[in-house]
Amino acid sequence: MSAPSASVEPSTVAELGESAVLARILPRLAPGDSAILGAGDDAAVVRAVDGRFVVTTDFMVHGPDFRLAWSTPFELGWKAAATNLTDVAAMGARPTALVVAIAAPPTTPVAVLEGIADGLREGLAHLAPGAGVVGGDLSASSVLTIAVTAFGDLEGRAPILRSGAQVGDVVAHAGVRGDAARGLRLLFAEATDASGEPDRELAAALRARHPELIAAQLAPSPPVSAGVAAALAGASAMLELTDELARVAGRLAEASGVGLDLDSARLGDDIRLALAGAEDHGLLATFPPHVTLPAPFDAIGLVVDDAGRLFVDGAPVAAEGWDPYAGWDGRAG
């Protein structure tokens, strides 16, 4: 008589099926303090004591936005949370809830989605305590895609817009400058194979050598709480730094009808990278001159009377920002 065969637990999303995958993922997530009704019904119910809420959404697509050979599933979940939380923070709001939709190839191991869920949970706990995931969706796709919608509470305050800067205001920045770009440069230089494709083993070795720079790109820790601190201190304008500092500063200048003159001595040793490096997810804000800057903001310049223009030490600067379609050949890598 032959021995009974051991049962093999399904390992991919196709083998397990949507309902069973969700049953594995949802217990790994927390709905947060503002949820009246979390995931499980057709929609969630979230408190909006203020009577208003801030909302933003963002995609992360395998290929143009991340590479599975470089990022762990946990890091993907963490970054998906971080990139949306800072958009809420830039309005001066406190993040309250996320809705997350994931489209994954049928061959995706369920462990990948569990890792993303773990990253979302821990990212929220670290960056925005009290916020949680209240729902979402799961579907099939040829490439892994994560879409997050984030909500925030203004707590009775007016939203901070990009259009409120006044001549004489102090320009201030919270967060790191250029570290994510340094990390990405290292990944492309030292974590690709002979054909230029991302390599998992090389990325792991690089991570061990430069943990902080690689984390700045793959799992950033932006100053989310600084958004509310800026609002309470009286910030006149604010933007989140997904794109380059120079480009974001230009947007603020144009929207406010003012100029910004940045101080090179405040930007660090590598001024070019500080201006052109993207994805640090910090906050750029302006404050009236009499305001004491709240931590962790540092003064980096002044608002001047020259509508829509950006300067460094009085010299004009042109900024070219990242475009998701520029140079994209459709390969996921």
Side-chain angles (χ1 to χ4, degrees):
M1 179 184 291
S2 60
S5 59
S7 62
V8 178
E9 184 180 8
S11 59
T12 69
V13 294
E15 291 170 334
L16 202 58
E18 180 184 16
S19 295
V21 170
L22 289 174
R24 293 264 290 266
I25 293 173
L26 292 178
R28 310 178 90 92
L29 300 168
D33 296 343
S34 295
I36 298 172
L37 180 67
D41 276 81
D42 287 341
V45 180
V46 180
R47 291 182 183 87
V49 178
D50 180 277
R52 305 165 297 167
F53 59 86
V54 170
V55 61
T56 184
T57 192
D58 193 40
F59 271 110
M60 285 174 52
V61 181
H62 184 235
D65 297 317
F66 65 88
R67 308 295 176 90
L68 283 168
W70 289 344
S71 296
T72 67
F74 183 92
E75 288 170 335
L76 292 177
W78 181 291
K79 188 169 184 177
T83 56
N84 283 272
L85 293 172
T86 46
D87 281 330
V88 171
M91 302 300 291
R94 177 180 59 84
T96 56
L98 302 184
V99 175
V100 182
I102 299 176
T107 56
T108 303
V110 176
V112 169
L113 301 192
E114 291 177 324
I116 292 172
D118 290 343
L120 283 163
R121 184 190 65 247
E122 294 304 312
L124 285 168
H126 180 77
L127 300 171
V133 177
V134 297
D137 194 19
L138 183 63
S139 187
S141 172
S142 59
V143 295
L144 180 61
T145 301
I146 306 169
V148 177
T149 299
F151 299 86
D153 184 358
L154 288 164
E155 300 175 319
R157 298 179 295 272
I160 302 178
L161 309 180
R162 62 180 66 184
S163 56
Q166 301 291 319
V167 173
D169 283 355
V170 174
V171 181
H173 174 267
V176 298
R177 288 190 287 272
D179 283 6
R182 291 182 180 93
L184 187 61
R185 185 168 59 185
L186 283 169
L187 286 165
F188 275 109
E190 301 183 31
T192 56
D193 61 21
S195 65
E197 293 300 313
D199 184 278
R200 191 179 306 276
E201 292 185 3
L202 292 175
L206 182 63
R207 189 191 307 271
R209 296 196 301 273
H210 302 282
E212 292 184 358
L213 292 180
I214 301 306
Q217 169 57 224
L218 302 183
S221 292
V224 175
S225 62
V228 170
L232 294 174
S236 53
M238 189 155 54
L239 278 171
E240 186 262 359
L241 287 158
T242 296
D243 292 328
E244 298 85 348
L245 172 59
R247 187 177 193 188
V248 173
R251 289 173 179 158
L252 192 154
E254 183 176 355
S256 294
V258 298
L260 301 188
D261 191 1
L262 306 184
D263 183 349
S264 63
R266 302 285 189 128
L267 296 178
D269 296 334
D270 192 335
I271 297 174
R272 185 199 63 79
L273 196 59
L275 290 172
E279 293 191 286
D280 282 321
H281 301 291
L283 296 172
L284 181 71
T286 58
F287 294 86
H290 64 274
V291 167
T292 299
L293 296 183
F297 282 95
D298 293 317
I300 61 170
L302 292 172
V303 178
V304 297
D305 187 10
D306 204 328
R309 302 192 68 191
L310 176 65
F311 305 88
V312 174
D313 298 337
V317 173
E320 292 296 331
W322 180 78
D323 184 330
Y325 296 103
W328 172 239
D329 60 7
R331 295 186 304 164

